Amino acid sequence: MALQASSLLPTAFTIHKEGKPSVSFRDVGFFGVSVTDHVGGVACKSSLVLRSRELQVRPIRAQTTATPEIGQAAPEGKKTLRKGNVIITGASSGLGLATAKAIADTGKWHVIMACRNFLKAEKAAKSFGIDKENYTVMHLDLASLDSVRQFADNFRRSGRPLDVLVCNAAVYLPTAKEPSFTAEGFELSVGTNHLGHFLLARLLLDDLKQSDYPSKRLIIVGSITGNTNTLAGNVPPKANLGDLRGLAGGLNGLNTSVMIDGGEFDGAKAYKDSKVCNMLTMQEFHRRYHEETGISFTSLYPGCIATTGLFREHIPLFRLLFPPFQKYITKGYVSEEEAGKRLAQVVSDPSLEKSGVYWSWNKNSSSFENQLSKEASDAEKAQRLWEISEKLVGLA
Ligand code: LMG
Ligand code: NDP
Ligand code: PMR
């Protein structure tokens, strides 16, 4: 990837404060790479429209360093907004990294990259040309509840307000024959993707509440493969939480099953189940806290980002065939940078503020409120999932 060129991009955005950028995005893609190199020319035109909309190439005066206008009212008479603070878990690769890049490059946000591998995250941020003014790496291992608690403490000590939390990190172990476990002994996929994030979001809810930012958001990344009302969600093994008996038993394989529904271990199913948990958790947060706090709770399917590290445990043949399969057969493929811009939209775009929504994008890359499967929108199950999860993570 032409990563060095990416450092040119913030300049490309900042010099065009008021109107449409005069730099042609046809020639320069988001990471300084030709758009056509990435998306094969498909949807190039629509992504141009998307770019100017998503990235909100609007006045960015509040964040530029030494202009005399700082702190003064914008010409329209609107007050300038302070920089927003967003935590993104798993920002060391894939979707999280691309989102960190997209959001940091607006100059309007400070991104806290919450990552288990500090060095990897730091290197990734540097190689993507993220301005060091606009990000901080903080250690977070979601597979350890102690680490989650420590992270929340450390974040609070930093004194930054929290305006948006993005629960993005995940592991996918499709070829594992035997389960692995988190520090507390939960099956690793559900333990990391759901329970770690559940505790994190619960601990940081107060911080979000206290923020004075005009739009406070908690975003939990979901997926199509957890939704059995789609073709992708019907590829075996299908997600199914059953009656949650395995989860209630602690997912430790000692007294009960390591699977939420009480079945035999299946890594691919555990991942899909964890995504159902993510989507149910978002809705339960919405029901419990949206009205009271004004926080917007959302989930999304960013598209099939077939090239990310998520598939690192899959067999080499799969990793070879999956991207062309998604690009040319299902046409569900999106590049990391495109997906990053979608998630960045959910972080900051005023048109995606509605709470309780599962966002998706159509072929023209315009967002729409999608329907979740029956199970992924089951309010009773969401409530039980919440109650069991809070016991497991030590909140009840
Ligand atoms: C499992 O296998 C593994 O067992 C598991 O360990 C784990 O890895 C898991 O998800 C990960 O996968 C999945 C396996 C079984 O699917 C395959 O990948 C086999 C590939 C078969 C090749 C099919 C030919 C397609 C041609 C593509 C050529 C390019 C190849 C690229 C391949 C990359 C992707 C692998 O899956 C199956 O059993 C195969 C059948 C799956 C079809 C599922 C479709 C069900 C449709 C049901 C309709 C439901 C309708 C709902 C509609 C709602 C609409 C609103
Ligand atoms: P990646 O593997 O590229 O990114 C996952 C990130 O999670 C990495 O930064 C990884 O860290 C981090 N992570 C894993 N375990 C932990 C942990 N214990 N503590 C902290 N961080 C951890 O995958 P994607 O970017 O594809 O996935 C991001 C999100 O997008 C996931 O929620 C996934 O479910 C979702 N998604 C992905 C789709 C796709 O097609 N790729 C489709 C739909 C949804 P490290 O870099 O150290 O490994
Ligand atoms: Mg899928 C419209 C069709 C579509 C879409 C959007 C996806 C997304 N997939 C689709 C169809 C199919 N997939 C079909 C027809 C097959 C059978 C050949 C198929 C297979 C398949 C496998 C084996 N797909 C997969 C796998 C994985 O291992 C991935 C997975 O399930 O990870 C949990 C995956 C995915 N398909 C997707 C998406 C987005 C994924 C991956 C990641 C995720 O949900 O987070």
Side-chain angles (χ1 to χ4, degrees):
M1 292 239 294
L3 294 172
Q4 295 132 307
S6 66
S7 58
L8 298 172
L9 276 168
T11 320
F13 288 118
T14 50
I15 53 175
H16 303 288
K17 290 182 184 173
E18 299 294 344
K20 289 181 190 125
S22 61
V23 171
S24 168
F25 287 107
R26 205 181 308 273
D27 303 315
V28 184
F30 197 69
F31 294 141
V33 178
S34 160
V35 174
T36 45
D37 285 351
H38 272 271
V39 294
V42 179
C44 212
K45 207 169 161 202
S46 58
S47 62
L48 294 179
V49 175
L50 185 76
R51 274 190 181 93
S52 51
R53 191 163 63 92
E54 280 176 348
L55 288 174
Q56 300 173 44
V57 187
R58 286 199 231 138
I60 49 166
R61 177 170 292 113
Q63 278 70 46
T64 49
T65 38
T67 59
E69 296 95 335
I70 285 180
Q72 291 175 7
E76 311 85 53
K78 283 184 197 154
K79 282 197 176 154
T80 51
L81 199 57
R82 69 164 165 82
K83 234 173 176 174
N85 292 291
V86 54
I87 295 177
I88 304 177
T89 68
S92 49
S93 76
L95 177 62
L97 178 58
T99 307
K101 167 75 177 164
I103 209 87
D105 280 1
T106 63
K108 297 176 178 180
W109 290 86
H110 190 86
V111 180
I112 293 96
M113 299 170 68
C115 299
R116 62 176 166 179
N117 185 335
F118 193 94
L119 206 62
K120 180 178 175 185
E122 197 63 61
K123 279 186 184 158
K126 281 211 178 79
S127 75
F128 267 53
I130 305 179
D131 187 336
K132 60 182 187 325
E133 296 280 291
N134 294 339
Y135 77 91
T136 304
V137 178
M138 284 182 67
H139 186 262
L140 167 66
D141 182 355
L142 288 156
S144 155
L145 298 181
D146 282 346
S147 172
V148 173
R149 291 182 185 281
Q150 189 72 58
F151 173 84
D153 283 351
N154 289 344
F155 176 75
R156 241 163 249 151
R157 271 193 225 117
S158 78
R160 285 184 186 280
L162 177 62
D163 308 314
V164 179
L165 169 63
V166 181
C167 297
N168 161 78
V171 288
Y172 174 42
L173 309 161
T175 56
K177 298 274 176 280
E178 299 293 332
S180 317
F181 297 93
T182 66
E184 286 77 20
F186 306 124
E187 186 282 316
L188 193 63
S189 332
V190 173
T192 304
N193 308 357
H194 167 58
L195 292 170
H197 278 136
F198 179 80
L199 178 61
L200 180 71
R202 288 288 301 273
L203 293 176
L204 293 177
L205 186 68
D206 271 342
D207 302 69
L208 280 172
K209 278 186 197 165
Q210 283 158 22
S211 154
D212 62 348
Y213 205 72
S215 180
K216 307 183 274 191
R217 305 182 188 188
L218 196 168
I219 302 156
I220 310 177
V221 179
S223 182
I224 193 170
T225 54
N227 279 294
T228 50
N229 58 339
T230 63
L231 175 62
N234 277 283
V235 174
K238 291 203 237 175
N240 179 11
L241 308 188
D243 62 5
L244 306 178
R245 70 179 63 179
L247 186 71
L251 292 183
N252 54 27
L254 296 174
N255 330 312
T256 66
S257 160
V258 295
M259 299 296 289
I260 294 181
D261 65 355
E264 287 291 298
F265 174 69
D266 181 326
K269 180 174 183 300
Y271 170 88
K272 294 175 191 178
D273 288 350
S274 77
K275 291 284 114 184
V276 176
C277 293
N278 288 154
M279 295 179 281
L280 288 173
T281 300
M282 173 280 282
Q283 294 162 89
E284 191 62 18
F285 263 114
H286 169 73
R287 280 188 284 268
R288 288 175 186 246
Y289 296 108
H290 175 62
E291 244 180 64
E292 173 200 330
T293 64
I295 298 167
S296 160
F297 301 96
T298 53
S299 185
L300 69 150
Y301 167 58
C304 186
I305 330 160
T307 51
T308 71
L310 193 67
F311 311 103
R312 68 188 94 177
E313 303 291 336
H314 224 308
I315 57 167
L317 186 64
F318 175 88
R319 294 208 306 273
L320 181 72
L321 295 177
F322 191 55
F325 172 66
Q326 293 293 345
K327 267 183 203 167
Y328 304 113
I329 298 175
T330 73
K331 306 229 190 311
Y333 170 83
V334 285
S335 65
E336 295 182 26
E337 51 270 44
E338 189 60 34
K341 279 185 254 160
R342 290 177 176 184
L343 180 47
Q345 245 188 314
V346 186
V347 170
S348 69
D349 194 310
S351 66
L352 279 77
E353 196 184 3
K354 186 171 169 190
S355 186
V357 174
Y358 167 64
W359 294 105
S360 297
W361 285 259
N362 64 24
K363 292 218 158 53
N364 301 322
S365 255
S366 43
S367 55
F368 66 95
E369 290 180 32
N370 205 349
Q371 294 296 310
L372 292 157
S373 70
K374 189 160 174 274
E375 180 171 54
S377 51
D378 181 336
E380 211 176 296
K381 213 171 253 198
Q383 188 183 339
R384 287 203 53 228
L385 173 69
W386 180 281
E387 287 163 2
I388 297 170
S389 300
E390 64 183 5
K391 284 197 185 107
L392 294 180
V393 301
L395 289 172

